[in-house]
Amino acid sequence: MSTATAPSPRSRHTPPPGTSAPSLPDPARKPTPRRAVDWRVRFALLSLVWGFSFLLIKVGTEAYAPFQVTFGRLLFGTAVLAVAMVVKRQGLPRGARTWGHLAVAAFFLNALPFSLFAYAELTIPSTLAGICNATSPLWGMALSMVALSEDRPTRRRVAGLGIGFIGVLTVLGAWQGFSGLDATGTAMALLASLSYPIGWIYVRRTLAGRSESHLSLTGAQLFLATLQLAVVTPLFTTWPSAFPVVPLLAVIALGALGTGLAVLIQYGIVAEVGPTTGQMVTYFIPVIATAAGVTLLDEALTWNTPVGALIVLAGAALTQSRPKAEAPRNGDGARATTPSSPTTPAVAPTTAPTARQP
């Protein structure tokens, strides 16, 4: 549950602006190893995992406080990445400044949005939370025009922002005076979606292009987010008197699958087929979240919810579009576009963009 919206930082192999990537393969570059499972299968699995994250949050909050759900999610997600780091012999990043930047990234990309979604789903359906998550690229485009001087608006992207805003109003039923919606829960879900591009822009300004691996930086980031929740959770919650099995399994799955394994799958997809294809998972998340909420949780669905969601996704797609002449290219010759979050996204993008987690 996910999806950043600013232009992706170029990798170290990216040619200067205004030049094209070489058409001949680099003999010094190692070929991408073939995966045992086709990337399309992994793409479908990633879409399902992040799409079901909102259902898992809803089930988890039925028995545990929102901060407890978020802490458990981060704890199990960090454990998965820690195992992956040991297997791949990846160490943690060094330097106090790096850890300081990662702490800020952990707050905006993990601790804050995960907690906001958990609190939001106390009062709003998981379907609405999933659709609110899809507004992240809209927030991101608006913020990037202010915070990133090189990210110039175009008519198409501004139109996408306007269309996306109309989609949000459609989902919320603005013509009915937003009746039947919990304003606080909806605002929390929208703020969670806003948190992702804030975090991504910060990461781009502070951590882009570092020599550490994605796995190393992401593992450290999730570890710091877990520490943040370990401090906050006891202050605002009491120890559960019981541990119902189904909600507990939901929290474990949310962390181990939706926050740990999903990150590893997503990095593999981006490395194999490029960020442009990898970011497309964002557009499947609200569809799967809505289907899961309606079929498994019996959540009500009115016509304006799916229609508004489609309008939001259309606007989000336009905000991500770029003329070919202005899109930087990565070392593979693929356009280095960024994903829209996951749910965005939730991991620190460095030399290649990643989809945020929901």
Side-chain angles (χ1 to χ4, degrees), residues 109 113-114 117 133 136 192-200 345 356-358:
L109 293 173
F114 289 2
F117 273 125
N133 180 76
S136 187
S193 300
L194 171 62
S195 180
Y196 289 124
I198 291 175
W200 194 92
R356 55 180 171 65
Q357 294 172 259

Side-chain angles (χ1 to χ4, degrees), residues 56-279:
L56 295 174
I57 293 172
K58 173 68 77 172
V59 174
T61 53
E62 290 177 354
Y64 306 107
F67 277 139
Q68 293 169 348
V69 171
T70 303
F71 174 67
R73 174 183 189 173
L74 289 168
L75 181 64
F76 289 107
T78 302
V80 170
L81 290 191
V83 171
M85 290 175 66
V86 170
V87 171
K88 297 186 177 183
R89 299 182 179 180
Q90 295 283 340
L92 291 170
R94 299 180 180 180
R97 177 173 294 184
T98 299
W99 281 88
H101 291 318
L102 285 172
V104 176
F107 176 75
F108 283 109
L109 293 173
N110 302 111
L112 179 61
F114 289 2
S115 299
L116 286 173
F117 273 125
Y119 270 101
E121 291 199 40
L122 291 176
T123 55
I124 67 173
S126 64
T127 54
L128 179 57
I131 293 171
C132 287
N133 180 76
T135 65
S136 187
L138 306 177
W139 295 114
M141 183 213 160
L143 289 174
S144 65
M145 288 191 300
V146 176
L148 300 173
S149 59
E150 69 272 25
D151 194 17
R152 302 299 182 185
T154 63
R155 291 181 181 179
R156 181 184 297 179
R157 301 182 73 199
V158 172
L161 185 61
I163 291 172
F165 180 70
I166 293 173
V168 172
L169 295 179
T170 303
V171 170
L172 301 181
W175 64 92
Q176 300 173 346
F178 308 103
S179 61
L181 290 177
D182 181 80
T184 302
T186 304
M188 284 184 175
L190 291 173
L191 286 174
S193 300
L194 171 62
S195 180
Y196 289 124
I198 291 175
W200 194 92
I201 290 173
Y202 178 84
V203 164
R204 173 170 181 182
R205 287 184 173 276
T206 59
L207 291 171
R210 295 194 59 85
S211 60
E212 294 90 343
S213 69
H214 296 308
L215 180 58
S216 174
L217 290 172
T218 304
Q221 179 185 310
L222 286 182
F223 172 71
L224 290 171
T226 305
L227 289 183
Q228 292 169 4
L229 264 294
V231 173
V232 171
T233 302
L235 297 177
F236 294 94
T237 66
T238 57
W239 187 259
S241 58
F243 292 88
V245 174
V246 173
L248 179 59
L249 291 177
V251 173
I252 294 174
L254 183 63
L257 300 180
T259 308
L261 181 63
V263 169
L264 301 176
I265 294 174
Q266 202 272 341
Y267 275 140
I269 292 174
V270 169
E272 185 172 348
V273 298
T276 303
T277 301
Q279 73 171 337

Side-chain angles (χ1 to χ4, degrees), residues 8-22 324-331 333-334 336:
S8 163
R10 295 188 300 272
S11 72
R12 287 172 294 176
H13 301 290
T14 308
T19 65
S20 59
K324 293 182 179 180
E326 78 173 65
R329 291 179 173 271
N330 59 26

Side-chain angles (χ1 to χ4, degrees), residues 40-63:
R40 297 171 186 83
V41 177
R42 287 178 280 127
F43 183 95
L45 177 60
L46 182 63
S47 301
L48 286 173
V49 169
W50 275 343
F52 269 84
S53 293
F54 298 97
L55 180 146
L56 295 174
I57 293 172
K58 173 68 77 172
V59 174
T61 53
E62 290 177 354

